[in-house]
Amino acid sequence: MKKSIAIIGSGFSALSASCYLAKEGYKVTIFEKNSSIGGRARQLKKDGFTFDIGPTWYWMPDVFERFFNDFNKKPSDYYELEKLNPAYSVYFDKDDYITIEDTLEKIYLAFEKEEPGSSKKLKKFIDNAQNNYEVAIKDLVYRPGVSPLELVTPVTIKKIHQFLSTIKRDVRKEFKNNRLAQILEFPVLFLGAKPSNTPSFYSFMNYADFGIGTFHPKKGMYQVVLAMEKLAKSLGVDIKTENPIDKIIVDKGKATGIISKGKTYNADIVLSGADYHHSETLLSKENRQYSEKYWSKKTFAPSSLLFYVGFNKKLKNVNHHTLFFDVDFEAHAQDIYDTPKWPENPLFYASFPSITDENSAPDGKEAGIFLIPLAPGIEDTEALRTLYFNKIIDRFEDLTSQEVKDSIIFKESFCVNDFIKDYNSYKGNAYGMANTLMQTAFLRPNLKSNKVENLYFTGQLTVPGPGVPPALISGKLVADLIKKHQV
């Protein structure tokens, strides 16, 4: 008789795990608290506009390919992928920006134009980043974080200095031009920590950025969710939406099921892809691995203030992805990580998917997504949201030399309180636990409970870490672990 598995949540890691487990013959049921699947990667549709609520960057296409290949499928069986050119632009002042295009050769030229001689340094930097990418994405991130020895290989021993140095130190040592340095420091923000706290080894993110490039699935990132849902269902996975979990049932030290909306569902194994901290609150205290003190001491990735805006005209002087680095990065970073508070002058990011994808907005109109990184756990009110929207729109108009306020049809916002309400996110964090040196690999929360038998976890608070590609990998890692321990 097939063993049954109850999976809590339907984000990328949970969907990934469900596919691998169903393929192995387990009877898999997913329980999702919201009315639609995808976890943070949901959609907002309004007045003919379509927005990705969560992730908007498609990086590391090889990880997606590897996932689908494991089921004798490929991404193109489900969605159409387009490489963006330009990948993104970075504003530093009014009408003053650097554009990152779609090949290394073009990026070398952009660096050389900004600072003569910098392209040679960049080539050396990217060569090392590519080597790190080969080591990390082809090997290390596919290890389950069970033992420190997983990190000890002939290659990593040679690279030990790259775990002890930081991205910021290495970048600033070679690149004196602050604008170029900031562009090279930008990708590690996806890991949820400051460049000054991120090990140099994570430069593989720079290769993902410059060497592989930025892509866009036609009709948005939600197409990946729909693809995984289709695959999961074809493998026999049952998905129940609007089923929040009240409790994880533990009997004699063993997980035996869950209670959802007052109804008991028995299962041989329970796997939570929900927020790890929240998942443990579904257990009695004696069955929790980590205390509130443990979580409070961890470095969490930022939360975000997001706006989804419909414009009644096409915008100019922006690309699909556009970053606004016209203010002090260090001051904003301090307001996130060191002395948590609302930033005086925030950096922000904007995405205009309708520049690339006609499905995102009605003809002649523009869909805009604006994101301000924030410290998790800070106060969140409508008044603050309005204040900060006006701050960034004023700057946006000035930097891009256009008026847009009168062209706004609507705006919807999403912030700390929503991350908590919709995703049970610890302190309203947006990306999980940061990948600092002391929160890497085996130093992250465990995939397998050490207190409760047959209870497992997956997602951005465990290994390998934040981001969509790592979430796919996390699902595979926990499925492999379950298979190993259940044999």
Side-chain angles (χ1 to χ4, degrees), residues 173-187:
K173 184 171 67 179
E174 295 295 333
F175 297 89
K176 305 306 178 189
N177 181 298
N178 186 55
R179 292 148 61 104
L180 297 183
Q182 281 189 293
I183 290 173
L184 287 170
E185 290 168 351
F186 149 68

Side-chain angles (χ1 to χ4, degrees), residues 113-297:
K113 182 180 177 184
E114 177 70 18
E115 181 185 291
S118 63
S119 62
K120 288 183 180 178
K121 294 177 182 177
L122 179 61
K123 188 176 188 315
K124 183 180 176 184
F125 183 84
I126 293 297
D127 284 348
N128 179 65
Q130 180 175 6
N131 185 262
N132 286 349
Y133 191 90
E134 295 291 324
V135 173
I137 305 303
K138 304 275 174 74
D139 183 13
L140 290 185
V141 296
Y142 284 93
R143 300 186 181 201
V146 173
S147 163
L149 295 178
E150 291 173 7
L151 296 180
V152 181
T153 71
V155 175
T156 56
I157 289 171
K158 291 178 184 177
K159 291 179 176 286
I160 188 65
H161 64 285
Q162 292 192 44
F163 286 93
L164 302 177
S165 186
T166 67
I167 289 286
K168 181 170 184 176
R169 189 180 303 155
D170 285 10
V171 166
R172 298 283 170 169
K173 184 171 67 179
E174 295 295 333
F175 297 89
K176 305 306 178 189
N177 181 298
N178 186 55
R179 292 148 61 104
L180 297 183
Q182 281 189 293
I183 290 173
L184 287 170
E185 290 168 351
F186 149 68
V188 301
L189 298 180
F190 285 103
L191 301 172
K194 291 193 293 186
S196 57
N197 287 339
T198 304
S200 300
F201 182 73
Y202 284 104
S203 68
F204 65 74
M205 294 292 290
N206 294 102
Y207 179 70
D209 178 4
F210 288 1
I212 301 175
T214 303
F215 295 78
H216 174 74
K218 190 175 181 181
K219 297 187 180 179
M221 286 290 289
Y222 199 66
Q223 295 306 302
V224 185
V225 173
L226 295 177
M228 295 178 76
E229 177 191 33
K230 188 173 182 179
L231 175 61
K233 286 184 173 179
S234 75
L235 293 164
V237 176
D238 184 21
I239 300 176
K240 298 180 183 295
T241 54
E242 298 184 300
N243 266 268
I245 305 303
D246 307 321
K247 185 179 180 181
I248 296 172
I249 304 168
V250 178
D251 183 29
K252 297 176 183 175
K254 182 183 291 188
T256 60
I258 53 97
I259 298 174
S260 174
K261 291 166 56 174
K263 183 178 178 180
T264 297
Y265 295 87
N266 295 319
D268 298 302
I269 298 161
V270 175
L271 165 61
S272 182
D275 176 276
Y276 205 123
H277 168 269
H278 168 72
S279 300
E280 287 220 313
T281 68
L282 301 173
L283 297 162
S284 56
K285 281 192 177 180
E286 67 269 19
N287 289 323
R288 299 173 191 173
Q289 302 172 91
Y290 306 106
S291 66
E292 289 297 323
K293 186 177 180 181
Y294 169 90
W295 294 112
S296 68
K297 287 186 174 181

Side-chain angles (χ1 to χ4, degrees), residues 321-334:
H321 296 300
T322 309
L323 307 167
F324 295 86
F325 283 9
D326 56 306
V327 297
D328 186 351
F329 173 87
E330 285 299 325
H332 189 170
Q334 283 182 2

Side-chain angles (χ1 to χ4, degrees), residues 19 37 54 57 88 148 211 251 289 293 307 310 323 350 396 406 411 467:
C19 292
I37 66 164
W57 293 77
Y88 57 90
D251 183 29
Q289 302 172 91
K293 186 177 180 181
F307 296 101
L323 307 167
F396 179 82
D406 292 340
K411 71 171 170 56

